[in-house]
């Protein structure tokens, strides 16, 4: 739309201007090396929600609670958003935090004023019942609202965000109606849908090949939910580095394959 508010209709194809993922979701089983890989991404701040970054070198903050996260966000904005990347480690832990944030929010509403109270007295926090236990699934609305509220705040902290998650095993029917094991992002149903459809433009499953090299798989299949809107990642399985048997470390990490625009300047 022009400054005058008029609409100019395109008369020819417009070339895409975006290549790098803006929001990349990576999920895998535990101890697969997600945090280690991300710690080697240049100018990336890891927001650690489950104290899993203690064993890696990198720019990182162990987030204590949502009040602490708010202070971190304020300082990042004051500094002019100095990081090229913000990594959330992990989404699974963030959802757990949102569950109790949503519970506390509900307890402050008129309909929830007696929730987690006995004879008018508030129960100790350790004995609280989560809001999702409300009848007929009514509490999940509050969980979704909390999750979106905090995700929207996080997404403003950098141009590119990486969401790290755990896996959830499930059984599905294949084309021959046989039950097969599949892996998926370990989030509650609609929270997963919000993450993959509203926030993420690229989703990768991290695994190790026969030589223990880390592979980011963007190939979607019946048993693995992956994909990318970035042309250079569609249908790809990217080797992210080389495993050294002597040092037991991954070397030559290749983040420039994922983010060619910003890292190959």
């Amino acid at each position: 739309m022009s400054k005058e508010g008029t609409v100019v209709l395109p008369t020819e194809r417009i070339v895409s201007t975006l290549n790098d993922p803006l929001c990349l979701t990576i999920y895998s089983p535990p101890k697969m090396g997600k945090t280690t890989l991300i710690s080697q991404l240049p100018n990336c701040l890891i927001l650690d929600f489950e104290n899993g970054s203690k064993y890696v070198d990198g720019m990182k903050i162990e987030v204590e609670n949502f009040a602490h996260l708010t202070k971190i966000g304020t300082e990042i904005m004051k500094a002019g958003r100095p990081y090229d990347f913000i990594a959330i480690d992990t989404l699974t832990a963030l959802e757990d935090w949102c569950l109790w944030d949503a519970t506390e929010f509900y307890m402050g509403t008129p309909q929830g004023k007696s929730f987690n109270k006995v004879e008018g007295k508030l129960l100790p926090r350790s004995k609280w019942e989560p809001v999702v236990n409300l009848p007929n699934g009514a509490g999940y609305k509050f969980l979704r609202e909390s999750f979106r509220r905090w995700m929207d705040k996080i997404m403003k902290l950098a141009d590119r965000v990486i969401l790290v998650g755990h896996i959830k095993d499930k059984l599905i029917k294949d084309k021959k109606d046989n039950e097969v094991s599949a892996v998926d992002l370990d989030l509650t149903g609609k929270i997963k849908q919000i993450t993959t459809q509203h926030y993420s433009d690229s989703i990768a499953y991290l695994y190790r090949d026969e030589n223990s090299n880390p592979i980011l798989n963007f190939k979607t299949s019946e048993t693995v939910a992956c994909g990318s809107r970035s042309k250079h990642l569609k249908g790809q399985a990217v080797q992210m580095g080389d495993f050294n048997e002597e040092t037991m470390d991954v070397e030559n990490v290749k983040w420039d394959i994922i983010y060619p625009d910003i890292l190959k300047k």
Side-chain angles (χ1 to χ4, degrees):
M1 185 176 289
S2 67
K3 292 182 180 179
E4 292 77 18
T6 58
V7 175
V8 179
L9 298 176
T11 57
E12 56 186 28
R13 288 167 59 87
I14 299 173
V15 178
S16 62
T17 58
L18 187 62
N19 197 39
D20 292 354
L22 292 179
C23 183
L24 168 64
T25 296
I26 300 172
Y27 70 107
S28 79
K31 308 299 185 290
M32 195 59 61
K34 299 184 291 294
T35 304
T36 301
L37 278 181
I38 293 170
S39 71
Q40 297 184 57
L41 176 59
N43 201 26
C44 176
L45 175 65
I46 299 173
L47 297 180
D48 181 1
F49 284 79
E50 55 182 29
N51 300 325
S53 65
K54 285 182 166 59
Y55 296 96
V56 301
D57 299 331
M59 291 190 292
K60 56 190 180 178
I61 298 177
E62 292 185 0
V63 185
E64 299 171 4
N65 48 45
F66 279 139
H68 188 207
L69 178 61
T70 299
K71 291 180 181 179
I72 293 167
T74 299
E75 293 305 313
I76 290 174
M77 299 303 285
K78 281 183 181 178
R81 302 200 315 156
Y83 303 104
D84 291 323
F85 306 91
I86 295 286
I88 303 304
D89 192 5
T90 64
L91 266 179
T92 309
L94 176 62
E95 184 187 352
D96 289 342
W97 287 26
C98 287
L99 174 61
W100 298 108
D101 177 67
T103 300
E104 195 163 6
F105 177 85
Y106 174 70
M107 290 163 60
T109 64
Q111 66 267 39
K113 63 182 180 181
S114 62
F115 195 65
N116 285 318
K117 289 183 178 179
V118 175
E119 296 180 351
K121 293 184 178 180
L122 183 66
L123 293 171
R125 194 179 183 93
S126 60
K127 295 184 178 181
W128 280 9
E129 184 178 2
V131 70
V132 294
N133 286 359
L134 287 174
N136 304 315
Y140 283 94
K141 168 182 176 288
F142 296 95
L143 173 58
R144 292 193 297 272
E145 289 175 349
S146 174
F147 185 80
R148 292 195 72 149
R149 182 168 60 252
W150 287 105
M151 279 293 296
D152 286 347
K153 291 179 180 181
I154 291 166
M155 294 295 292
K156 295 176 181 177
L157 300 181
D159 287 340
R160 293 167 183 82
V161 175
I162 300 174
L163 307 174
V164 181
H166 297 311
I167 69 163
K168 173 170 57 180
D169 292 317
K170 63 180 183 179
L171 291 176
I172 62 171
K173 296 282 189 179
D174 65 12
K175 293 179 180 179
K176 297 182 179 180
D177 206 34
N178 297 315
E179 281 195 341
V180 294
S181 179
V183 295
D184 205 350
L185 187 59
D186 187 14
L187 293 172
T188 304
K190 288 192 177 179
I191 297 292
K192 184 187 72 175
Q193 186 177 357
I194 290 168
T195 301
T196 56
Q197 296 183 7
H198 182 74
Y199 294 107
S200 302
D201 51 54
S202 297
I203 304 170
Y205 175 65
L206 176 66
Y207 68 94
R208 296 291 184 115
D209 66 12
E210 63 274 11
N211 297 313
S212 293
N213 299 315
I215 308 294
L216 274 185
N217 177 33
F218 293 91
K219 296 180 182 179
T220 189
S221 68
E222 286 186 351
T223 57
V224 180
C226 299
S228 178
R229 290 177 181 159
S230 298
K231 294 179 181 178
H232 66 292
L233 298 176
K234 286 183 179 179
Q236 299 298 310
V238 180
Q239 181 176 327
M240 291 297 293
D242 306 309
F243 180 72
N244 186 320
E245 291 186 0
E246 294 183 3
T247 63
M248 301 298 289
D249 288 328
V250 175
E251 301 174 345
N252 306 315
V253 176
K254 306 177 180 74
W255 277 109
D256 57 334
I257 299 176
I258 308 299
Y259 297 103
D261 289 350
I262 191 169
L263 297 182
K264 288 186 177 180
K265 288 181 180 179

